[in-house]
Amino acid sequence: MKKYIFIALVIFSSFSIAQNKPISRSKFNEINYSLLARKEALTRQKDSLNNIIGELTKEFTYLKNNRRDICRKYFLKKYGNKIGSRIADGRIWKGMRIGMLKDSWGKPDRVTRQKRKWGVFTQLYYGKTTFFFRDGKLTDWEEKK
């Protein structure tokens, strides 16, 4: 409230300086009332937006959980119970295939591939984590700090 009165005084001061005459009490009250009305309107708008954010957050949570359940069922069907559960939980292990990691973690940020006489070496990058594959099987991973 004090902030709005201060703003009103600043506006009135500039108005008075621009016209080189003092502002009347009634003009001050008129502008102050106008600012308070605008504050109330903005507060109502803020409350309305907070309600919308709350509803969207609930919907997002529902969709996220629904997607997780659908993915879990898909992975269980595709890989079987043991491996499908691991993939659905986002776990990693040595020996997993590139496709399993992509199913679990999604599309990597970057992929590099080198073909040598002794095998194909692939690196998948997810943020600060790098996964090392040899001939399509995970051999190791590294997390940069």
Side-chain angles (χ1 to χ4, degrees), residues 25 38 41 44 55 66 74 119 140:
R25 182 73 175 160
R38 179 72 178 140
R44 283 192 304 275
E55 291 171 14
N66 194 25
Y74 171 75
D140 206 359

Side-chain angles (χ1 to χ4, degrees), residues 1-5 7 31-47:
M1 177 82 162
K2 291 179 182 179
K3 181 169 117 178
Y4 292 102
I5 292 173
I7 292 170
I31 294 173
N32 187 37
Y33 175 78
S34 171
L35 289 172
L36 290 174
R38 179 72 178 140
K39 176 187 174 192
E40 287 177 26
L42 289 173
T43 301
R44 283 192 304 275
Q45 189 177 11
K46 176 186 151 203
D47 293 342

Side-chain angles (χ1 to χ4, degrees), residues 46-118:
K46 176 186 151 203
D47 293 342
S48 173
L49 290 172
N50 281 336
N51 288 337
I52 291 170
I53 288 170
E55 291 171 14
L56 290 174
T57 300
K58 287 178 190 174
E59 174 130 6
F60 175 78
T61 302
Y62 167 76
L63 291 173
K64 183 175 149 186
N65 291 337
N66 194 25
R67 180 187 180 278
R68 186 191 65 225
D69 294 342
I70 290 169
C71 287
R72 177 171 289 283
K73 288 176 186 174
Y74 171 75
F75 294 143
L76 291 174
K77 185 175 182 179
K78 183 175 179 179
Y79 296 108
N81 286 339
K82 183 179 177 185
I83 293 175
S85 291
R86 286 177 169 183
I87 291 171
D89 293 339
R91 291 186 285 179
I92 53 174
W93 65 94
K94 289 184 179 182
M96 74 185 302
R97 311 293 273 153
I98 290 175
M100 292 175 174
L101 181 65
K102 286 181 177 180
D103 279 347
S104 183
W105 284 43
K107 184 180 174 185
D109 299 329
R110 187 167 59 109
V111 177
T112 60
R113 174 179 240 148
Q114 296 177 357
K115 196 171 188 178
R116 303 281 187 218
K117 291 180 200 175
W118 50 90

